[in-house]
Amino acid sequence: MSITTLFENYSEFRHRHPDGDVPHNPYKWAMAIDLDACSGCNACAVACYAENNLPVVGREKFANGQVMHWMRIERYWDHDGSEFPERGARYLPMLCQQCEAAPCETVCPVGATNHTPDGLNSQIYNRCIGSRYCSSNCPYKVRYFNWWDYPSTDNVWPAEMNMQLNPDVTVRGKGVMEKCTFCIQRIRGAESDAKTQGRLVRDDGELQTACQQACPTSAISFGNLVDPESRVHKQWMAQQVELNKHEQAKDEEPGGSDLRGYRVYEWLAPYPSIMYLERVRETEI
Amino acid sequence: MHSFLRLSLLLLGFFVAGISYAADTPQSNPVDPGVDGSAIDKAARQKSDSGGSAFSDWITKYWAEGPDNIGPAVKQPIEFPHFRHAGDHDKGGMEINCMYCHTYARRSLVAGIPPVQKCIGCHQSIDEVRNKPRIKKLFAYWDAKKSIPWKKVHDLPDFVRFSHERHIQRFVFQLNRPVQEVCGYCHGNVKTMTVARRQKLLSMGFCVTCHEIKHPVTAPGGIPIGNQAYWYSMRKPVIDASGILKAQGPNDCSVCHK
Amino acid sequence: MMNSEFDRRDFLKVLGWGGTAVALTGCGNGMVESGKETVVSYVETKDYMIPSVSVYFNSTCAQCDAGCSITGRIREGRVLKLEGNPESAINRGKTCGLGQAGVQNHYNPDRVRAPLLRTGNTGEAITWEKAYALIDEKLKGVSGNEVAFLTGGMSGHTKVLMGNYMDSLGSKNHFVYEAIGPAVVRAANKKSYGVEMPRFNIGKARVVLSFGADFLGAWVSPVNFSQQYAQFRKGSGGHQRGVLIQVESKMTITGANADRWLAVRPGTEGILALGIINALGAHGVSIPGDIAAAVKTYDKDRVSNDTGVSAEQIDKIAAILKERTPSLVLAGSAAEGYAHGSQNAAAINLLNHVLGNVGKTIEAAAIVPFPQMAPLTGNTAALKALNDGLAAGKYKVLFSYGSNPVFTSPAAMKYKDNMAKADFKVVFAQYLDETALQADLVLPLDSALEDWGTQVPEYMAGNAQINIRQPLMEKLHADTRGMGDILLTLIKQRRAAEYKPFDDYYGYLRAAVLQNKAALGGANQPDNDIFWNETLSKGIIKFEGAKHASLSVKSGAAGLTLPAPSAADAEYPLQLIPHVNANLRDGRNTNQPWLQESPDPLTTIVWDSWIEIHPKKAAELGIVEGDIVEVTSKSGSLKVQAYIFPGIHPDAVSIPLGRGHEAMGRYAKGYGVNPFQILDMIYDKETGELALHETRVKISRTGNRVIVVKDEGPVGGNQEGQKIVPEMLTNKVNLSKEI
Amino acid sequence: MKDIREDIAWAKINTDVLKSLENPRKLYWVILFIAVAVFGVGVGCEVYQYNMGLGVGNFDNPHMWGLYIATFIFWIGMSHSGTLLSAILHIMHADWRKPIYRFAEAMTTFSLMTAGLFVAVHLGRIWQIYFALPYPNMRQVWPNFQSPLLWDAMAIFTYLSSSILFLYVGMIPDLAICRDNMHSGWRKKLYAVLSLGWEGTDRQWRNFRMTYLTIACFLIPLAVSVHSIVSTDFAASQQPGWHITSFPPYFVAGALYSGCAAIITLFIILRYVFKFEEYMTKSILKKVARLTFAIAMVWTYLKWVEFAQAWFGHNAHDQHLLIEKATGTYAPFWWMMNFCASVVPFMLVFKRFQTNIPVLFAVSLLLNLGMWLERFMIVAPTFADGFYPWTWDHNQWPSLVQWGIVFGSFGWFAILFMLFCKIFPSVSMYEVKEMVYHRSLETKKLQALQAAGELAAAGKGAH
């Protein structure tokens, strides 16, 4: 960006989240995860390792909390004091929420993480200087830092194993931050194909994230939130969750809503792009 | 002492001002393409090709690659004469379409080097040059079924994912621009070269300058070009005086870096 | 896609080694360069080969025996990622984590790369010719009865070849062994339903009552069941969401997803099943006379007393089972792993008959019309038979393929020592695992992503299908062979004339498929090449309208005797439950680092083993998380870190299977402990299967303490009052109306 | 007790101060060597960290920041005292600052230089640090002007350059004295160049005073802004424990506080080493001690404001974090911080301690320790117990590499300061002369007044 553009358009460039004047057009990628369907099996997380060149850090580094799983399956208990967890465990796949007003974006000194016009929170590895401010300010702690130089670490990608690396995704060296990208390489590929063919990306499985594609219970749906025909749009509408609100009208209803859609830490107003659907438990048994 | 200080301060000021200006000036980049090929203003193109000012050009180019503004001469296993294949008829060339050999460009990220098979496909029936040294070399590779170890001339860093496909699709197929002109935006006038040399900076600024230009997305009358009346950039499109909707090229970072 | 067979193989050749350049770290301070790097171009190429554009080929996953169809993404000659093939009725485009890691099985750096002949304690690399000659030589003068062949489960053309080879040797000693297969349940199903593996229609059921069947984790065909589970939760046909009740002593991932998880006293699953039948009778469900008689004594109070499940709860289960039909009752590994496992399973299956589920949610599976290709399922009784034979010195030559008995058999069985009694031991292996280390000759195998083959899945989800396995890329190592190729070569040593037309296994496979073209759905396709390529392209041969096995709808309670719950044992007070982790299974996948680093769904522990102890028991024994405890059974002991886990019966402890390798490469060796080693040799009384859950142990602190390596933080999955994973408690919600 | 004796001869001032520039004793070299060794440890750790990645510091997710940021704030804070003494007190005409402001100003500069190192050391990709600076470049990209970290970097650079300028400008007349008292050697040449041809003409003095005052005026808002910006690194974020409005004044007060404490420490050391008893008098020390106490109380008040904000803000996360600080893994540090930084300063209330050098020395070290802990307590607990309970982590401690670099920074500071003391006069000669002169004038005035008063008294009231 030239200096002129910088001064003229800075506010525009760093738009907060879509509002009347700058709507998302034609894409806004978003997700819905049904926690009632999610079984916590970890297939999505492994698929993410396969798709996004995530390093396997090994036992010691995992013990040090330096694991690099972009998608972690969290297991919660009820902690109600009973002898057994009689209603099972609660699983939550936690990944980057691709916030519209992302706390990480504003604080990065070099603008290595920023918002794309199609509503992604992008992370530019080669711009990152490793100040780790973004992760410090992330309420979900879903950003992962390359504490070590994994490409040159023993047994991370030894010979032959490195042949599996996805050439569409940069292999990150030491000192850069990384996180879930909603499989941006797939998104850009699909957008590019659609553009070449003079159409929009279809909602028929043309574009799936790796986790969504693997998920055995199809708990994850992903798509274009501004496309009224897309499944994600319909889900968000049905659950009455609006993207750029930090308090949903349905939650104000007396007695609470019987809709399942919610977003984690919505009240903090980062406007996350992932809607979860509450898990349900039968009371008659 | 004081005058020395004063002078150095002054020089420093000039330097900073010069560099700021240089960086603010669009670097040598193609002209904003019109709706169709006829709309090109040649004069405008020339001006734009020469960049902003000589001084800023010099500064930016010096930073990028030293005093020479063209990339280094690359020694190739076979000195491939681009001018002979792609050059104009009146200059002894055959005006072969770039995409005849660089056939992947329109459907892949990379333009691709043609397989040896392709060279042989034509050359096996061109007897008059069959015994020239370079052709002999070519056949030697073919007979040994070895690929020719061409050197990369335009080698972007690994974290840049430039898509030939999108550029060819947009400019050649959707805007009907001549192929050689489109390729030339980044590769220069290859039809006059033997072994290709890098002509443009290909720095990020080089890319960004072009992507900041507002390109037409509709033809006059509001017909979307290539069915694409939408935009991917940070800024809203604008409708210019002639009623053409113009938008920036895709210019968020993750277009190329992912 | 593909034009001819030649294209296909040529493609692999050209690209196999051409495009080995990998994505480098893109984080340097890059500059535009000229003349530094070489562009790899092809000499000849096909139209579909475009650099930087992926091509996709279908094949079959070999990570477990469920037979999911996969689609490999291939770029520049390298297979990069596996996705599910949507055309398959089994996995319908989905994969599990295990399947995703298939590429790591292929690219694993610890694969055996050349035939190894034992010289002293080291393996010397030899040529295949020499290896084959050696086998030929060793088999001379050995009668068929003195040759034993141990394999894992097999099906398809490999099984056919295998059978023919055994015939050619004149041997009947083909032992099919699976360490953790549901062998007892198969036998019980055969008795109750007339088939070993019917189709379980979870998706149609409104209530699923599962006795330790970890169908979302590692049981039978988890990807298929997971999909059905999603459908079951949504509710179908205007019904509300299905209800899952899981009865087991140690919570599995299925238990973690249950609406009601019941911690039953270990081994009393059958009693609870009979108690529920009794309660159903009390709720007015008509029960056949003989069954009613058999369950008469299982009144609520007794059952509650025996199992630890409250009478009120039994009533509730009976009520919901009566109210919501159809339901489905599953008997799984937790129920079958006892000396009375067959009885347990029979009692549980009886519930399905009482509830009238047979024929509704339990259906007959479709059968592939080629019985010779039908799967041979393995069991532990086979290993016991082999082991007895080896101990008696009956076998001179032993072949071993597709299993790792040295690792997966109880140490008390002394398989390792008995194996040494055979004169010549050949192990076909992809890795130098514990069994391969005992071999005289190790023959390196192709990975599943570079091999040809066919597979008939044991659990047939939809129409009958044969899965095709085909190479997704050129061989990684020049000196590995597919099992089919090896068997073919070995048969040729015996019956050269008969197998002369087949150059290799690929040729055999192609000929075999084309021979039955009409039966395989190619009746209207005159061109053999086109038919073959279409078949490969689909990766599945489907049999529309194939016939189904017939179910026996009636079943009695004859011969049903369930022992009273075992009395408290002062010396070994705790029941050891070796549990099957969905990713690591019996340990054959432990060397895939993605799986090692994938947290256990219940404990979130990685890269290590642990013992799960109920908080109450732990407090009693003074054990806290991370304490290294010594676990002692009658047959051995091991030391492992403790994890305090609420989802386990206080009288039981649990250690995961699959870790504790002493070999098998850098990612497997030295991580965790192997609970197989301390299992007592107790067998199911009817089937003779090893009763995995029957071992009793005592635990004691060693005084050492470590920090448990796990993903969960110090608050142990507590939400700390925040709204992170809220829960909707209702019986009214109808999810089928949601989008 | 007088701040300074009025009858010190100007020549004696010159000789006393210039004596500190003479060839050092052996002990000096020993200590310098130790400082170099300590710095070497830090450099070694950094080289190791550079090669291996930040993992050697035992960082993890969520402990993204560790000792580096805490120590960075510590050094930035320390830098404020010099500005306080040299600029603020200069404008307020508190002339007792004159014998001690020079070393304080040097301390400012050097602690800023040390703090700057931490900015770099802390980065994952230190070799790309220039990405954080707004300059026109080939990529045509800019840093993110919204980020406090960017302003942080800019503020520090501005403050550092201004501080160096201020230190240097204030030294020019002294450098001329040095030049005039040296007869040969490299020092003579150095002073000759640095004194910029100072001759002490009226015009030079006039320009000098104007320049000095201007820079002083410029420096004061700068100093306040620097630490305010540092505080926005935290305050502008969303995290519990950081998202606190009172952080800017709290940080500035903390900075002045730790700076004053450090001044006491160095004051005592210099007074002892260079035998500056006549210039760095106990009376001045007493004033510094009182100033320190006052700032300590301001700081303590603001700390209570922070707690109150967390507690009464009805934000469960903030409350939880505060409880966690007081009772959790970090509790020993937190209580020690409170003790050192809020209780220990009450020692300074007692008059006899205000001039008791051993006690003051110990107190000043304790205060500095407390202030370092305070920074650590701002940074670390928020990571350990932030928003998301799943990632809470109480088991992560900085590794020896982190400690080594922190340790090394003290060596670096010591090297710079020791070299400074031997090359440049650490007491401002011309200003001490001014002070002596002014004081003697005042005394004379006073005496005259007293005499007049006595006269008047004798005359039974003139008014």
Side-chain angles (χ1 to χ4, degrees), chain D residues 32-43:
Chain D
L32 188 66
F33 176 78
I34 292 171
V36 171
V38 167
F39 180 53
V41 169
V43 171

Side-chain angles (χ1 to χ4, degrees), chain C residues 3-5 510 514 517 525-535:
Chain C
N3 298 322
S4 71
E5 154 223 342
R510 185 167 190 269
L514 292 180
K517 202 169 81 173
Q525 178 53 265
D527 189 321
N528 279 350
D529 283 340
I530 293 180
F531 172 68
W532 173 241
N533 282 326
E534 273 177 358
T535 306

Side-chain angles (χ1 to χ4, degrees), chain C residues 79-275:
Chain C
V79 54
L80 300 176
K81 190 161 188 300
L82 307 175
E83 305 289 1
N85 179 354
E87 296 304 315
S88 166
I90 294 175
N91 60 322
R92 285 180 251 171
K94 299 298 182 179
T95 50
C96 61
L98 190 58
Q100 286 289 336
V103 281
Q104 290 207 314
N105 188 38
H106 171 61
Y107 289 117
N108 202 295
D110 296 316
R111 282 176 59 184
V112 188
R113 292 157 198 234
L116 299 173
L117 180 65
R118 173 180 293 273
T119 45
N121 263 336
T122 55
E124 177 203 348
I126 57 170
T127 62
W128 276 93
E129 288 70 31
K130 207 176 156 192
Y132 285 135
L134 198 64
I135 293 175
D136 203 19
E137 184 199 316
K138 294 283 180 185
L139 283 173
K140 283 213 175 84
V142 175
S143 81
N145 289 335
E146 293 171 319
V147 181
F149 210 126
L150 175 73
T151 68
M154 277 186 141
S155 67
H157 289 93
T158 331
K159 177 201 162 197
V160 175
L161 272 182
M162 181 71 209
N164 293 352
Y165 183 56
M166 292 311 282
D167 282 351
S168 75
L169 289 171
S171 167
K172 295 206 179 330
N173 304 324
H174 180 196
F175 299 96
V176 188
Y177 166 55
E178 273 176 65
I180 51 170
V184 176
V185 167
R186 275 184 202 127
N189 285 351
K190 182 84 182 168
K191 274 191 180 172
S192 315
Y193 313 133
V195 291
E196 286 195 342
M197 198 47 80
R199 188 197 296 169
F200 298 111
N201 226 324
I202 297 171
K204 271 191 202 159
R206 295 183 61 205
V207 182
V208 171
L209 172 59
S210 156
F211 289 85
D214 185 16
F215 60 85
L216 295 176
W219 193 65
V220 183
S221 193
V223 180
N224 179 268
F225 294 147
S226 293
Q227 286 175 0
Q228 292 202 45
Y229 167 78
Q231 200 185 333
F232 157 79
R233 283 307 201 192
K234 281 252 179 253
S236 54
H239 289 307
Q240 70 227 44
R241 183 177 169 280
V243 177
L244 172 61
I245 306 159
Q246 182 86 358
V247 179
E248 58 197 0
S249 312
K250 176 250 177 301
M251 185 183 272
T252 57
I253 185 171
T254 312
N257 283 286
D259 292 273
R260 181 62 61 181
W261 180 79
L262 297 170
V264 71
R265 178 165 301 138
T268 60
E269 289 85 357
I271 298 176
L272 181 61
L274 297 186

Side-chain angles (χ1 to χ4, degrees), chain D residues 401-455:
Chain D
V401 173
Q402 275 196 62
W403 285 109
I405 291 178
V406 169
F407 184 58
S409 73
F410 286 89
W412 166 244
F413 179 82
I415 293 173
L416 291 175
F417 196 78
M418 286 177 79
L419 289 178
F420 176 84
C421 288
K422 275 292 160 194
I423 297 175
F424 299 105
S426 41
V427 170
S428 173
M429 291 179 270
Y430 74 93
E431 288 197 80
V432 171
K433 288 174 195 163
E434 274 176 12
M435 185 180 173
V436 170
Y437 176 66
H438 287 305
R439 289 290 170 105
S440 61
L441 281 186
E442 266 169 39
T443 317
K444 273 178 197 154
K445 241 187 240 165
L446 210 65
Q447 279 167 351
L449 272 176
Q450 269 173 358
E454 275 161 24
L455 267 175

Side-chain angles (χ1 to χ4, degrees), chain C residues 276-513:
Chain C
I276 293 170
I277 297 179
N278 186 314
L280 278 170
H283 277 78
V285 175
S286 78
I287 312 237
D290 64 325
I291 300 175
V295 301
K296 205 171 66 196
T297 54
Y298 291 93
D299 58 82
K300 276 187 293 191
D301 295 333
R302 176 196 161 182
V303 172
S304 173
N305 197 32
D306 282 356
T307 61
V309 177
S310 72
E312 178 199 8
Q313 193 67 56
I314 295 170
D315 255 347
K316 271 189 178 175
I317 295 174
I320 204 164
L321 282 173
K322 180 183 176 237
E323 180 202 328
R324 302 191 189 174
T325 54
S327 57
L328 174 62
V329 185
L330 297 171
S333 46
E336 67 175 312
Y338 297 92
H340 58 283
S342 291
Q343 298 293 328
N344 265 350
I348 292 161
N349 284 350
L350 209 52
L351 252 175
N352 275 322
H353 283 289
V354 169
L355 291 163
N357 295 333
V358 183
K360 285 183 190 160
T361 52
I362 294 182
E363 291 174 315
I367 298 177
V368 168
F370 296 94
Q372 70 273 27
M373 289 172 69
L376 266 180
T377 54
N379 49 43
T380 46
L383 184 74
K384 184 166 179 284
L386 171 65
N387 187 50
D388 292 346
L390 283 168
K394 263 166 73 183
Y395 306 121
K396 293 213 166 102
V397 178
L398 171 69
F399 294 98
S400 182
Y401 160 71
S403 61
N404 185 4
V406 174
F407 178 77
T408 54
S409 63
M413 208 178 207
K414 297 205 167 32
Y415 181 83
K416 191 170 153 184
D417 300 342
N418 293 335
M419 191 178 165
K421 291 181 183 164
D423 293 339
F424 190 61
K425 302 157 295 270
V426 183
V427 174
F428 308 90
Q430 225 179 310
Y431 309 99
L432 282 179
D433 55 25
E434 287 81 353
T435 306
L437 283 181
Q438 304 305 319
D440 295 307
L441 179 65
V442 178
L443 296 178
L445 293 176
D446 282 346
S447 83
L449 303 187
E450 49 194 20
D451 198 6
W452 290 94
T454 47
Q455 189 207 12
V456 178
E458 184 199 358
Y459 180 84
M460 208 60 91
N463 283 318
Q465 65 183 58
I466 296 178
N467 296 332
I468 308 279
R469 182 169 296 142
Q470 58 176 325
L472 298 179
M473 71 179 276
E474 183 79 334
K475 275 187 186 181
L476 209 52
H477 308 296
D479 255 355
T480 58
R481 299 280 185 274
M483 192 58 195
D485 277 316
I486 297 173
L487 280 174
L488 198 64
T489 315
L490 289 178
I491 296 182
K492 279 183 180 173
Q493 289 179 346
R494 314 251 132 205
R495 298 178 176 171
E498 214 174 301
Y499 286 89
K500 209 176 162 215
F502 312 117
D503 288 340
D504 52 10
Y505 185 53
Y506 167 74
Y508 173 83
L509 209 58
R510 185 167 190 269
V513 167

